[in-house]
Amino acid sequence: MITIGIDIGGSSVKAVLTEIGARTIATRQVSSRSGEGPGAVIDVLHGVIASLMDEAGDSRVEGIGVGMAGTIDIDEGVVYHPPNFAKWDAVPLASRLSERWHVPVRLDNDANCAALGESWYGAGRGLDSFVGMTLGTGVGGGIIVNGAVYHGTRGFAGEIGHVSIDYNGPECNCGGRGCIEAYVGIGYLMTRALPLLENDATSGLHERAVSDPGSLTPRDLTEAALEGDTTAAGILSDTGTKLGCAAASVANLLDITTFLIGGGISGAGDLIVQPMLLSARSRVLEVHRDSLEVRLAELGNDAGMLGAAALLRSGDGR
Ligand SMILES: [Zn+2]
């Protein structure tokens, strides 16, 4: 089955022409023109689709899948006010694309697509069920059950970033308190890390933390930790511990015990994975303890478009 998968991000649109689960035929990446309103973004999509349809030649393209941040009505194919897109209220994206290209169009949110991409092409291959976590500015989540995205009653399931690990914890931008995102979302993480680095004159990152704090990234923490910086390693370890708290709650709730982590901070690898596993094991119900597993996502920024391409097959099992 040949489909087109499109990942619409704030800065770029990434698209793939693929035979689902088998091979990538062609890819495209162009500016998403997110600041110019929905009309401009849709023009970009038509351009990318036209180019990939050309590439398909005589092969029939059986559908288009689209992943995007924001609130998405997956049944109606409408995207409501995605973050970082100008003048975008409610846009019936699925019908705008299907009317022009005469193929089925499926939409889903970016985190669900990333998890589905890993399920078909990456670290989730061979797993019936797992929870994908994308660690970025926010913490996205996608629940895969029997090879398909679990959507909940209205399509909003999987928001693992807002699982609270402390009812009295720091305020999250969702209005809640102690959400895992309010600790490990990149902005929150670096805000917590800075005073620790500023107060440790022996840290290799100390000087930058004092003179140019805005330049520090999770990658700097990882590099410093790998060079033996105990403060940086401690920050990453603490991040893993907190992720493990959330993972234990999720495992207890869903009886799903495999977690895939991707996105910026996951680049720390074992510096985060091992403490996350230890923390989750120490908290989860005993029946789940031995089956807990944390894997690193494999597809990086390609996960979204590959998962979007697989939306046309999602739900019919494998
Ligand atoms: Zn929250």
Side-chain angles (χ1 to χ4, degrees):
M1 183 179 191
I2 292 178
T3 63
I4 289 173
I6 304 177
D7 177 19
I8 308 176
S11 56
S12 68
V13 166
K14 296 190 70 174
V16 63
L17 176 71
T18 176
E19 187 176 348
I20 299 178
R23 66 193 173 107
T24 291
I25 300 164
T27 60
R28 298 287 186 270
Q29 181 165 2
V30 294
S31 164
S32 55
R33 298 173 59 191
S34 56
E36 300 171 48
V41 177
I42 290 170
D43 282 347
V44 168
L45 299 180
H46 286 323
V48 163
I49 294 166
S51 158
L52 289 175
M53 289 282 187
D54 271 354
E55 194 86 41
D58 292 337
S59 306
R60 206 169 93 81
V61 174
E62 297 195 44
I64 299 169
V66 181
M68 190 169 185
T71 301
I72 295 183
D73 183 328
I74 53 172
D75 295 322
E76 300 296 326
V78 179
V79 183
Y80 296 90
H81 32 75
N84 308 316
F85 283 77
K87 302 175 217 156
W88 190 305
D89 183 23
V91 175
L93 201 52
S95 60
R96 294 289 297 275
L97 297 181
S98 61
E99 281 160 13
R100 167 86 172 261
W101 297 101
H102 310 291
V103 291
V105 175
R106 295 274 292 270
L107 300 190
D108 212 325
N109 83 47
D110 51 351
N112 284 344
C113 287
L116 194 61
E118 292 290 341
S119 170
W120 280 90
Y121 298 88
R125 272 176 302 180
L127 294 173
D128 275 342
S129 304
F130 66 87
V131 175
M133 300 176 75
T134 308
L135 309 173
T137 310
V139 174
I143 303 169
I144 300 293
V145 178
N146 298 327
V149 175
Y150 173 74
H151 284 112
T153 54
R154 292 187 301 147
F156 304 137
E159 292 288 352
I160 194 169
H162 303 287
V163 168
S164 177
I165 61 171
D166 181 355
Y167 76 96
N168 210 19
E171 244 179 74
C172 177
N173 59 23
C174 74
R177 278 193 177 274
C179 300
I180 186 68
E181 179 169 309
Y183 296 97
V184 310
I186 288 174
Y188 296 104
L189 172 72
M190 297 316 290
T191 302
R192 279 191 311 121
L194 279 176
L196 299 173
L197 298 167
E198 283 167 8
N199 289 330
D200 177 7
T202 67
S203 167
L205 298 176
H206 172 74
E207 256 176 49
R208 271 174 70 197
V210 173
S211 63
D212 189 12
S215 74
L216 287 173
T217 65
R219 190 194 195 109
D220 293 317
L221 292 174
T222 301
E223 283 171 4
L226 289 172
E227 284 165 15
D229 187 321
T230 53
T231 299
I235 293 163
L236 293 171
S237 169
D238 178 66
T239 299
T241 300
K242 289 183 162 66
L243 285 168
C245 289
S249 293
V250 171
N252 285 339
L253 184 69
L254 299 177
D255 185 19
I256 295 177
T257 51
T258 305
F259 294 83
L260 255 61
I261 62 171
I265 328 169
S266 69
D270 274 349
L271 294 166
I272 277 187
V273 168
Q274 291 310 322
M276 179 177 172
L277 205 47
L278 273 177
S279 159
R281 284 209 176 111
S282 71
R283 291 173 167 84
V284 81
L285 291 172
E286 191 177 355
V287 69
H288 298 307
R289 204 160 289 157
D290 293 337
S291 49
L292 274 177
E293 190 185 350
V294 178
R295 297 186 182 186
L296 292 172
E298 291 175 357
L299 302 175
N301 290 331
D302 291 346
M305 65 179 185
L306 288 166
L311 285 173
L312 282 300
R313 281 287 294 277
S314 176
D316 65 359
R318 278 178 296 161

